[in-house]
Amino acid sequence: MTPVGNGVEVPPMFFKIVVTETNGKPTVLAFFFTHQIKKHGDIQNYLISVNLIEAITGLDFFPDLSSSEWEIWKGKVHG
């Protein structure tokens, strides 16, 4: 981590997962950014799969949804 003012540490990267629903079907967008870039540019360049974010962070998102359909959605990169 990188220290900033008053000893606060900032991780080098961060992620965001956005889930929307249209006509009962979920759409999942997962983004992974670095803090070092002042201007990120086209947001589409930062889309990755939820599975990859889970692998990087060690977290399990949406653990109560165990169906095979959700596994398909988590592995997709939308955009």
Side-chain angles (χ1 to χ4, degrees), residues 4 7 17 19 23 25 33-34 44 50-51 57 62 64-66 68 70-71 73:
V4 293
I17 298 173
V19 180
N23 297 324
K25 293 185 178 182
F33 301 98
T34 62
Q44 301 293 329
V50 173
N51 283 339
T57 64
F62 318 107
D64 294 337
L65 301 174
S66 60
S68 60
W70 182 245
E71 287 302 316
W73 280 100

Side-chain angles (χ1 to χ4, degrees), residues 16-67:
K16 181 172 285 266
I17 298 173
V18 179
V19 180
T20 60
E21 187 177 326
T22 305
N23 297 324
K25 293 185 178 182
T27 298
V28 180
L29 298 172
F31 300 94
F32 199 70
F33 301 98
T34 62
H35 279 292
Q36 287 78 18
I37 300 173
K38 296 207 184 278
K39 184 176 179 184
H40 286 96
D42 188 1
I43 198 165
Q44 301 293 329
N45 294 335
Y46 299 92
L47 281 170
I48 65 173
S49 71
V50 173
N51 283 339
L52 186 53
I53 292 177
E54 288 179 329
I56 292 168
T57 64
L59 300 172
D60 181 18
F61 297 99
F62 318 107
D64 294 337
L65 301 174
S66 60
S67 71

